[in-house]
Structures are given as C-alpha cells and as structure tokens.
Amino acid sequence: MIPAKLKILAVDDEPDVLEIIEYNLKKEGYTVILANNGEEAVVLAKELKPDLIILDIMMPKMDGIETCRQIREDHKLRDTLIVFLTARSEEFLEIAGFNAGADDYIAKPIKPRALISRINAILRRTGLRDQEHRKIEIKGLVIDRDTYLVYKNGVEISLAKKEFELLFLLASKPGKVFTRDLILELIWGTDVVVINRTIDVHIRKLREKVGEEFINTVKGIGYKFEAN
C-alpha cells in the first residue's frame, strides 16, 4: 500500500492542466503543490522537498529540461522522483529528459485514470525497492541503496536515480545477463513505453561514470555486471 499524504509538486503553465492534476491526485489522498513555471518549481522543490514532481516540458521562463537539471543539482532532492508531462514525443526530448535526471514520462492530453494509475505505479515500485536496504561492495565500487550514493575507491560518483537503479540491478547479481526486456520491466515498469535507445543512453552514462570494466554488453541479449 502506498503511504498516504505523499507530497507531489505539479508544474505546468496551463491552469486547466494543473486543475485536473490537483483534483485527481487529491482524491487519491496525496498532498498537492502547484507551480506555474520552472523557476517557481525549483524554489518550491528546495523548500518543500516533494516525493514526486510532475513537470511539463514546454514552459515559459524555464523549460522542463532545465528545471529538472537544476533540481537534480540539489543533493537533498536526489531521491525525488521526476515525471515529465508532455505532448511532444520526439525521441531526442525523451533522451534529453532522462539525461537531465527524469524518471518517467506521462503523455498529454491527460487522461485522469491513466494519470493516477501511472503515478501510483511509479510510487509503488519505488516504495517496494526502498524497503530492500542493501549495500553492494565490488572491486572498489560501493553502491548504497539506503542513501542512493555510489563510491569508487572512496570517491563519490553522482548518478541520476534511474542510473542508480540500473547499476544496482546489474550489480545485485554479478555475472547474470539481464535482457533488455527484463531491464525495462524492472527499472521502468510494464506500463511505461521506453525505447531501447533509452537503455543504451543509461548504460553509456554509467560506463562513463563508474568505468568501462564493470558493465559488459551481451550482443543481441542485454547486459551483465562483471565482478572479476
């Protein structure tokens, strides 16, 4: 069961969209905070530390990509989930969003039942994972789920939330080959449409940050973590 009164910050420059989001999320028992633009969202996020942020991409003053990037720069907001709300589906925007630190996407126009289902699923998956308090230590690499921190030879490595989850998944079973389909299901969920290119982007960024030696590609199948 998802804990009641989780805080959700909804950010959009369209009042009608915010009204729909607020009404439906409040019915589910969430505490909802509203912002009309990216600049306001960054201030509110730092002040109120929401559990999840629903963030429109195309906004005046500061677009969603830059807003997400600034929020992710705040260490105290490392665990905050960020979900983009957008009517645009171009592949480059999806990749840019994940690179900025987004956890998921919800498409416009908003369908209330689909919105609630997606938000509940995202929070439920995260809640289940957060109960698995574990620390992995392999070849000088420390992956701490309790704090969502990663260290290599004692030096902290900054990872976006999905990057951390992907690394923890692979490292939790060294030598096991995780197929692309399984990675998509475990990290993004079955109710989320994610292109294969998204996995490639996350793997590439992980290799850049933690080192090429840890993650191997199994051609035509998926990826595995090397412990030897």
Side-chain angles (χ1 to χ4, degrees), residues 114-151:
L115 169 71
I116 295 303
S117 176
R118 179 66 63 81
I119 295 300
N120 285 344
I122 293 167
L123 290 169
R124 188 178 297 112
R125 292 199 310 268
T126 304
L128 289 172
R129 287 174 182 157
D130 286 346
Q131 292 172 9
E132 300 171 3
H133 298 301
R134 294 178 58 191
K135 180 185 289 187
I136 296 173
E137 299 184 38
I138 301 175
K139 294 170 62 177
L141 197 65
V142 178
I143 311 166
D144 191 341
R145 183 185 286 281
D146 290 347
T147 60
Y148 269 77
L149 295 177
V150 175
Y151 297 89

mmCIF file of all heavy atoms in Angstrom, residues 114-151:
data_model
loop_
_atom_site.group_PDB
_atom_site.id
_atom_site.type_symbol
_atom_site.label_atom_id
_atom_site.label_comp_id
_atom_site.label_asym_id
_atom_site.label_seq_id
_atom_site.Cartn_x
_atom_site.Cartn_y
_atom_site.Cartn_z
ATOM 1 N N ALA A 114 -5.631 7.205 -16.285
ATOM 2 C CA ALA A 114 -4.287 6.789 -16.681
ATOM 3 C C ALA A 114 -3.230 7.522 -15.858
ATOM 4 O O ALA A 114 -2.205 6.941 -15.473
ATOM 5 C CB ALA A 114 -4.081 7.053 -18.171
ATOM 6 N N LEU A 115 -3.469 8.810 -15.590
ATOM 7 C CA LEU A 115 -2.541 9.607 -14.767
ATOM 8 C C LEU A 115 -2.391 8.988 -13.381
ATOM 9 O O LEU A 115 -1.271 8.755 -12.908
ATOM 10 C CB LEU A 115 -3.054 11.037 -14.652
ATOM 11 C CG LEU A 115 -2.344 11.924 -13.618
ATOM 12 C CD1 LEU A 115 -0.956 12.275 -14.086
ATOM 13 C CD2 LEU A 115 -3.156 13.190 -13.352
ATOM 14 N N ILE A 116 -3.515 8.710 -12.733
ATOM 15 C CA ILE A 116 -3.477 8.141 -11.387
ATOM 16 C C ILE A 116 -2.819 6.772 -11.388
ATOM 17 O O ILE A 116 -2.007 6.446 -10.523
ATOM 18 C CB ILE A 116 -4.909 8.037 -10.811
ATOM 19 C CG1 ILE A 116 -5.518 9.441 -10.623
ATOM 20 C CG2 ILE A 116 -4.896 7.299 -9.483
ATOM 21 C CD1 ILE A 116 -4.704 10.355 -9.736
ATOM 22 N N SER A 117 -3.160 5.961 -12.379
ATOM 23 C CA SER A 117 -2.570 4.624 -12.468
ATOM 24 C C SER A 117 -1.059 4.693 -12.595
ATOM 25 O O SER A 117 -0.324 3.948 -11.927
ATOM 26 C CB SER A 117 -3.170 3.877 -13.663
ATOM 27 O OG SER A 117 -2.552 2.615 -13.817
ATOM 28 N N ARG A 118 -0.581 5.608 -13.440
ATOM 29 C CA ARG A 118 0.863 5.732 -13.653
ATOM 30 C C ARG A 118 1.567 6.249 -12.398
ATOM 31 O O ARG A 118 2.603 5.697 -11.999
ATOM 32 C CB ARG A 118 1.120 6.692 -14.815
ATOM 33 C CG ARG A 118 2.614 6.929 -15.125
ATOM 34 C CD ARG A 118 3.309 5.685 -15.629
ATOM 35 N NE ARG A 118 2.731 5.255 -16.887
ATOM 36 C CZ ARG A 118 3.045 5.794 -18.077
ATOM 37 N NH1 ARG A 118 3.911 6.762 -18.151
ATOM 38 N NH2 ARG A 118 2.487 5.323 -19.175
ATOM 39 N N ILE A 119 1.019 7.278 -11.775
ATOM 40 C CA ILE A 119 1.639 7.836 -10.567
ATOM 41 C C ILE A 119 1.664 6.802 -9.450
ATOM 42 O O ILE A 119 2.684 6.614 -8.772
ATOM 43 C CB ILE A 119 0.890 9.109 -10.108
ATOM 44 C CG1 ILE A 119 1.032 10.224 -11.140
ATOM 45 C CG2 ILE A 119 1.401 9.560 -8.746
ATOM 46 C CD1 ILE A 119 2.450 10.645 -11.418
ATOM 47 N N ASN A 120 0.548 6.097 -9.246
ATOM 48 C CA ASN A 120 0.508 5.061 -8.216
ATOM 49 C C ASN A 120 1.538 3.975 -8.482
ATOM 50 O O ASN A 120 2.207 3.495 -7.571
ATOM 51 C CB ASN A 120 -0.886 4.442 -8.140
ATOM 52 C CG ASN A 120 -1.895 5.350 -7.466
ATOM 53 O OD1 ASN A 120 -1.525 6.308 -6.798
ATOM 54 N ND2 ASN A 120 -3.170 5.055 -7.643
ATOM 55 N N ALA A 121 1.663 3.577 -9.753
ATOM 56 C CA ALA A 121 2.605 2.526 -10.111
ATOM 57 C C ALA A 121 4.046 2.958 -9.857
ATOM 58 O O ALA A 121 4.862 2.185 -9.338
ATOM 59 C CB ALA A 121 2.420 2.136 -11.578
ATOM 60 N N ILE A 122 4.357 4.190 -10.227
ATOM 61 C CA ILE A 122 5.712 4.713 -10.024
ATOM 62 C C ILE A 122 6.065 4.725 -8.541
ATOM 63 O O ILE A 122 7.127 4.261 -8.118
ATOM 64 C CB ILE A 122 5.847 6.128 -10.609
ATOM 65 C CG1 ILE A 122 5.721 6.081 -12.132
ATOM 66 C CG2 ILE A 122 7.178 6.765 -10.210
ATOM 67 C CD1 ILE A 122 5.526 7.444 -12.762
ATOM 68 N N LEU A 123 5.162 5.233 -7.720
ATOM 69 C CA LEU A 123 5.417 5.323 -6.285
ATOM 70 C C LEU A 123 5.426 3.940 -5.633
ATOM 71 O O LEU A 123 6.200 3.687 -4.712
ATOM 72 C CB LEU A 123 4.366 6.215 -5.619
ATOM 73 C CG LEU A 123 4.485 7.700 -5.968
ATOM 74 C CD1 LEU A 123 3.262 8.466 -5.485
ATOM 75 C CD2 LEU A 123 5.748 8.296 -5.350
ATOM 76 N N ARG A 124 4.580 3.039 -6.138
ATOM 77 C CA ARG A 124 4.548 1.691 -5.578
ATOM 78 C C ARG A 124 5.859 0.968 -5.860
ATOM 79 O O ARG A 124 6.426 0.310 -4.987
ATOM 80 C CB ARG A 124 3.376 0.906 -6.176
ATOM 81 C CG ARG A 124 3.158 -0.459 -5.502
ATOM 82 C CD ARG A 124 1.962 -1.170 -6.104
ATOM 83 N NE ARG A 124 0.740 -0.417 -5.884
ATOM 84 C CZ ARG A 124 0.032 0.184 -6.855
ATOM 85 N NH1 ARG A 124 0.443 0.107 -8.116
ATOM 86 N NH2 ARG A 124 -1.065 0.840 -6.587
ATOM 87 N N ARG A 125 6.347 1.076 -7.095
ATOM 88 C CA ARG A 125 7.614 0.425 -7.435
ATOM 89 C C ARG A 125 8.743 0.964 -6.575
ATOM 90 O O ARG A 125 9.576 0.226 -6.075
ATOM 91 C CB ARG A 125 7.946 0.642 -8.922
ATOM 92 C CG ARG A 125 7.028 -0.072 -9.889
ATOM 93 C CD ARG A 125 7.689 -0.196 -11.256
ATOM 94 N NE ARG A 125 8.229 1.055 -11.746
ATOM 95 C CZ ARG A 125 7.554 1.894 -12.513
ATOM 96 N NH1 ARG A 125 6.300 1.653 -12.844
ATOM 97 N NH2 ARG A 125 8.118 3.005 -12.938
ATOM 98 N N THR A 126 8.774 2.260 -6.410
ATOM 99 C CA THR A 126 9.831 2.885 -5.621
ATOM 100 C C THR A 126 9.727 2.473 -4.165
ATOM 101 O O THR A 126 10.731 2.187 -3.512
ATOM 102 C CB THR A 126 9.745 4.413 -5.737
ATOM 103 O OG1 THR A 126 9.801 4.765 -7.109
ATOM 104 C CG2 THR A 126 10.894 5.076 -5.001
ATOM 105 N N GLY A 127 8.516 2.437 -3.653
ATOM 106 C CA GLY A 127 8.312 2.054 -2.262
ATOM 107 C C GLY A 127 8.790 0.638 -1.992
ATOM 108 O O GLY A 127 9.444 0.364 -0.982
ATOM 109 N N LEU A 128 8.509 -0.274 -2.909
ATOM 110 C CA LEU A 128 8.941 -1.656 -2.740
ATOM 111 C C LEU A 128 10.451 -1.760 -2.765
ATOM 112 O O LEU A 128 11.054 -2.487 -1.989
ATOM 113 C CB LEU A 128 8.338 -2.524 -3.851
ATOM 114 C CG LEU A 128 6.832 -2.784 -3.752
ATOM 115 C CD1 LEU A 128 6.339 -3.494 -5.004
ATOM 116 C CD2 LEU A 128 6.500 -3.600 -2.509
ATOM 117 N N ARG A 129 11.052 -1.004 -3.637
ATOM 118 C CA ARG A 129 12.514 -1.056 -3.742
ATOM 119 C C ARG A 129 13.179 -0.453 -2.519
ATOM 120 O O ARG A 129 14.201 -0.931 -2.050
ATOM 121 C CB ARG A 129 12.972 -0.328 -5.004
ATOM 122 C CG ARG A 129 12.665 -1.094 -6.273
ATOM 123 C CD ARG A 129 13.001 -0.280 -7.485
ATOM 124 N NE ARG A 129 12.648 -1.006 -8.679
ATOM 125 C CZ ARG A 129 12.403 -0.452 -9.837
ATOM 126 N NH1 ARG A 129 12.459 0.851 -9.962
ATOM 127 N NH2 ARG A 129 12.097 -1.167 -10.891
ATOM 128 N N ASP A 130 12.590 0.628 -2.013
ATOM 129 C CA ASP A 130 13.215 1.311 -0.884
ATOM 130 C C ASP A 130 13.224 0.452 0.374
ATOM 131 O O ASP A 130 13.960 0.727 1.308
ATOM 132 C CB ASP A 130 12.510 2.642 -0.603
ATOM 133 C CG ASP A 130 12.851 3.697 -1.647
ATOM 134 O OD1 ASP A 130 13.803 3.484 -2.412
ATOM 135 O OD2 ASP A 130 12.164 4.720 -1.685
ATOM 136 N N GLN A 131 12.373 -0.594 0.412
ATOM 137 C CA GLN A 131 12.361 -1.468 1.573
ATOM 138 C C GLN A 131 13.533 -2.453 1.541
ATOM 139 O O GLN A 131 13.846 -3.089 2.532
ATOM 140 C CB GLN A 131 11.038 -2.235 1.623
ATOM 141 C CG GLN A 131 9.840 -1.327 1.907
ATOM 142 C CD GLN A 131 8.532 -2.057 1.757
ATOM 143 O OE1 GLN A 131 8.497 -3.275 1.608
ATOM 144 N NE2 GLN A 131 7.446 -1.321 1.787
ATOM 145 N N GLU A 132 14.166 -2.585 0.409
ATOM 146 C CA GLU A 132 15.277 -3.524 0.276
ATOM 147 C C GLU A 132 16.592 -2.806 0.574
ATOM 148 O O GLU A 132 17.354 -2.471 -0.311
ATOM 149 C CB GLU A 132 15.311 -4.100 -1.143
ATOM 150 C CG GLU A 132 14.043 -4.844 -1.530
ATOM 151 C CD GLU A 132 14.034 -5.212 -2.993
ATOM 152 O OE1 GLU A 132 15.047 -4.938 -3.677
ATOM 153 O OE2 GLU A 132 13.033 -5.747 -3.458
ATOM 154 N N HIS A 133 16.849 -2.552 1.878
ATOM 155 C CA HIS A 133 18.043 -1.807 2.265
ATOM 156 C C HIS A 133 19.270 -2.699 2.120
ATOM 157 O O HIS A 133 19.453 -3.652 2.873
ATOM 158 C CB HIS A 133 17.910 -1.317 3.703
ATOM 159 C CG HIS A 133 16.766 -0.377 3.901
ATOM 160 N ND1 HIS A 133 16.644 0.805 3.211
ATOM 161 C CD2 HIS A 133 15.687 -0.451 4.705
ATOM 162 C CE1 HIS A 133 15.548 1.437 3.587
ATOM 163 N NE2 HIS A 133 14.947 0.697 4.475
ATOM 164 N N ARG A 134 20.112 -2.379 1.140
ATOM 165 C CA ARG A 134 21.278 -3.197 0.873
ATOM 166 C C ARG A 134 22.440 -2.323 0.443
ATOM 167 O O ARG A 134 22.245 -1.215 -0.060
ATOM 168 C CB ARG A 134 20.967 -4.215 -0.228
ATOM 169 C CG ARG A 134 19.937 -5.260 0.126
ATOM 170 C CD ARG A 134 19.680 -6.171 -1.050
ATOM 171 N NE ARG A 134 20.916 -6.827 -1.495
ATOM 172 C CZ ARG A 134 21.011 -7.504 -2.617
ATOM 173 N NH1 ARG A 134 19.975 -7.610 -3.421
ATOM 174 N NH2 ARG A 134 22.152 -8.073 -2.952
ATOM 175 N N LYS A 135 23.630 -2.869 0.660
ATOM 176 C CA LYS A 135 24.845 -2.205 0.192
ATOM 177 C C LYS A 135 25.672 -3.239 -0.564
ATOM 178 O O LYS A 135 25.907 -4.335 -0.065
ATOM 179 C CB LYS A 135 25.647 -1.628 1.355
ATOM 180 C CG LYS A 135 26.925 -0.936 0.918
ATOM 181 C CD LYS A 135 27.749 -0.487 2.114
ATOM 182 C CE LYS A 135 27.095 0.677 2.827
ATOM 183 N NZ LYS A 135 27.971 1.225 3.892
ATOM 184 N N ILE A 136 26.097 -2.873 -1.764
ATOM 185 C CA ILE A 136 26.923 -3.758 -2.584
ATOM 186 C C ILE A 136 28.332 -3.187 -2.648
ATOM 187 O O ILE A 136 28.508 -1.994 -2.905
ATOM 188 C CB ILE A 136 26.343 -3.888 -4.006
ATOM 189 C CG1 ILE A 136 24.955 -4.549 -3.958
ATOM 190 C CG2 ILE A 136 27.277 -4.692 -4.906
ATOM 191 C CD1 ILE A 136 24.249 -4.556 -5.296
ATOM 192 N N GLU A 137 29.330 -4.045 -2.399
ATOM 193 C CA GLU A 137 30.731 -3.620 -2.473
ATOM 194 C C GLU A 137 31.478 -4.593 -3.373
ATOM 195 O O GLU A 137 31.646 -5.762 -3.024
ATOM 196 C CB GLU A 137 31.341 -3.569 -1.074
ATOM 197 C CG GLU A 137 30.651 -2.580 -0.140
ATOM 198 C CD GLU A 137 31.334 -2.477 1.214
ATOM 199 O OE1 GLU A 137 32.584 -2.534 1.237
ATOM 200 O OE2 GLU A 137 30.639 -2.340 2.224
ATOM 201 N N ILE A 138 31.919 -4.110 -4.532
ATOM 202 C CA ILE A 138 32.609 -4.948 -5.509
ATOM 203 C C ILE A 138 33.742 -4.158 -6.174
ATOM 204 O O ILE A 138 33.507 -3.071 -6.706
ATOM 205 C CB ILE A 138 31.652 -5.445 -6.613
ATOM 206 C CG1 ILE A 138 30.491 -6.260 -6.022
ATOM 207 C CG2 ILE A 138 32.399 -6.293 -7.639
ATOM 208 C CD1 ILE A 138 29.458 -6.682 -7.048
ATOM 209 N N LYS A 139 34.955 -4.684 -6.115
ATOM 210 C CA LYS A 139 36.094 -4.107 -6.844
ATOM 211 C C LYS A 139 36.249 -2.601 -6.620
ATOM 212 O O LYS A 139 36.442 -1.838 -7.547
ATOM 213 C CB LYS A 139 35.938 -4.385 -8.342
ATOM 214 C CG LYS A 139 36.022 -5.853 -8.717
ATOM 215 C CD LYS A 139 35.618 -6.100 -10.156
ATOM 216 C CE LYS A 139 36.523 -5.392 -11.131
ATOM 217 N NZ LYS A 139 36.159 -5.708 -12.548
ATOM 218 N N GLY A 140 36.171 -2.182 -5.356
ATOM 219 C CA GLY A 140 36.337 -0.764 -5.040
ATOM 220 C C GLY A 140 35.111 0.077 -5.270
ATOM 221 O O GLY A 140 35.121 1.289 -5.046
ATOM 222 N N LEU A 141 34.025 -0.559 -5.738
ATOM 223 C CA LEU A 141 32.777 0.152 -6.003
ATOM 224 C C LEU A 141 31.795 -0.139 -4.868
ATOM 225 O O LEU A 141 31.531 -1.305 -4.543
ATOM 226 C CB LEU A 141 32.190 -0.313 -7.332
ATOM 227 C CG LEU A 141 31.116 0.564 -7.978
ATOM 228 C CD1 LEU A 141 31.694 1.915 -8.386
ATOM 229 C CD2 LEU A 141 30.521 -0.144 -9.190
ATOM 230 N N VAL A 142 31.253 0.911 -4.257
ATOM 231 C CA VAL A 142 30.261 0.779 -3.184
ATOM 232 C C VAL A 142 28.948 1.388 -3.667
ATOM 233 O O VAL A 142 28.904 2.551 -4.056
ATOM 234 C CB VAL A 142 30.716 1.478 -1.895
ATOM 235 C CG1 VAL A 142 29.631 1.365 -0.818
ATOM 236 C CG2 VAL A 142 32.026 0.896 -1.396
ATOM 237 N N ILE A 143 27.879 0.580 -3.647
ATOM 238 C CA ILE A 143 26.562 1.026 -4.096
ATOM 239 C C ILE A 143 25.617 0.894 -2.913
ATOM 240 O O ILE A 143 25.250 -0.212 -2.522
ATOM 241 C CB ILE A 143 26.054 0.182 -5.285
ATOM 242 C CG1 ILE A 143 27.137 0.077 -6.365
ATOM 243 C CG2 ILE A 143 24.779 0.775 -5.865
ATOM 244 C CD1 ILE A 143 26.853 -0.993 -7.399
ATOM 245 N N ASP A 144 25.216 2.009 -2.336
ATOM 246 C CA ASP A 144 24.441 2.028 -1.099
ATOM 247 C C ASP A 144 23.001 2.428 -1.385
ATOM 248 O O ASP A 144 22.705 3.587 -1.653
ATOM 249 C CB ASP A 144 25.083 3.006 -0.112
ATOM 250 C CG ASP A 144 24.479 2.887 1.287
ATOM 251 O OD1 ASP A 144 23.367 2.333 1.409
ATOM 252 O OD2 ASP A 144 25.120 3.351 2.239
ATOM 253 N N ARG A 145 22.080 1.456 -1.293
ATOM 254 C CA ARG A 145 20.678 1.751 -1.578
ATOM 255 C C ARG A 145 20.040 2.629 -0.502
ATOM 256 O O ARG A 145 19.117 3.398 -0.770
ATOM 257 C CB ARG A 145 19.876 0.455 -1.707
ATOM 258 C CG ARG A 145 18.424 0.690 -2.088
ATOM 259 C CD ARG A 145 17.631 -0.598 -2.097
ATOM 260 N NE ARG A 145 17.931 -1.423 -3.240
ATOM 261 C CZ ARG A 145 17.429 -1.216 -4.458
ATOM 262 N NH1 ARG A 145 16.635 -0.192 -4.680
ATOM 263 N NH2 ARG A 145 17.731 -2.024 -5.442
ATOM 264 N N ASP A 146 20.512 2.523 0.742
ATOM 265 C CA ASP A 146 19.938 3.330 1.814
ATOM 266 C C ASP A 146 20.066 4.820 1.529
ATOM 267 O O ASP A 146 19.176 5.605 1.830
ATOM 268 C CB ASP A 146 20.628 3.018 3.144
ATOM 269 C CG ASP A 146 20.276 1.638 3.655
ATOM 270 O OD1 ASP A 146 19.318 1.030 3.128
ATOM 271 O OD2 ASP A 146 20.951 1.165 4.584
ATOM 272 N N THR A 147 21.202 5.217 0.953
ATOM 273 C CA THR A 147 21.476 6.644 0.731
ATOM 274 C C THR A 147 21.452 7.037 -0.738
ATOM 275 O O THR A 147 21.568 8.215 -1.059
ATOM 276 C CB THR A 147 22.858 7.012 1.294
ATOM 277 O OG1 THR A 147 23.867 6.229 0.632
ATOM 278 C CG2 THR A 147 22.920 6.750 2.792
ATOM 279 N N TYR A 148 21.309 6.039 -1.619
ATOM 280 C CA TYR A 148 21.388 6.265 -3.070
ATOM 281 C C TYR A 148 22.722 6.906 -3.455
ATOM 282 O O TYR A 148 22.795 7.723 -4.370
ATOM 283 C CB TYR A 148 20.214 7.115 -3.566
ATOM 284 C CG TYR A 148 19.029 6.293 -4.004
ATOM 285 C CD1 TYR A 148 18.187 5.718 -3.063
ATOM 286 C CD2 TYR A 148 18.751 6.062 -5.341
ATOM 287 C CE1 TYR A 148 17.102 4.936 -3.440
ATOM 288 C CE2 TYR A 148 17.670 5.287 -5.739
ATOM 289 C CZ TYR A 148 16.853 4.733 -4.784
ATOM 290 O OH TYR A 148 15.784 3.957 -5.168
ATOM 291 N N LEU A 149 23.776 6.505 -2.759
ATOM 292 C CA LEU A 149 25.098 7.024 -3.048
ATOM 293 C C LEU A 149 25.975 5.915 -3.625
ATOM 294 O O LEU A 149 25.833 4.739 -3.276
ATOM 295 C CB LEU A 149 25.753 7.593 -1.786
ATOM 296 C CG LEU A 149 25.084 8.818 -1.168
ATOM 297 C CD1 LEU A 149 25.810 9.219 0.110
ATOM 298 C CD2 LEU A 149 25.070 9.976 -2.153
ATOM 299 N N VAL A 150 26.890 6.310 -4.504
ATOM 300 C CA VAL A 150 27.836 5.379 -5.109
ATOM 301 C C VAL A 150 29.242 5.943 -4.930
ATOM 302 O O VAL A 150 29.473 7.134 -5.151
ATOM 303 C CB VAL A 150 27.540 5.168 -6.608
ATOM 304 C CG1 VAL A 150 28.603 4.282 -7.245
ATOM 305 C CG2 VAL A 150 26.159 4.549 -6.795
ATOM 306 N N TYR A 151 30.173 5.077 -4.526
ATOM 307 C CA TYR A 151 31.561 5.487 -4.355
ATOM 308 C C TYR A 151 32.464 4.543 -5.148
ATOM 309 O O TYR A 151 32.226 3.328 -5.186
ATOM 310 C CB TYR A 151 31.978 5.445 -2.882
ATOM 311 C CG TYR A 151 31.213 6.399 -1.996
ATOM 312 C CD1 TYR A 151 30.023 6.003 -1.397
ATOM 313 C CD2 TYR A 151 31.678 7.694 -1.766
ATOM 314 C CE1 TYR A 151 29.325 6.875 -0.580
ATOM 315 C CE2 TYR A 151 30.979 8.569 -0.953
ATOM 316 C CZ TYR A 151 29.798 8.153 -0.362
ATOM 317 O OH TYR A 151 29.101 9.013 0.433
#
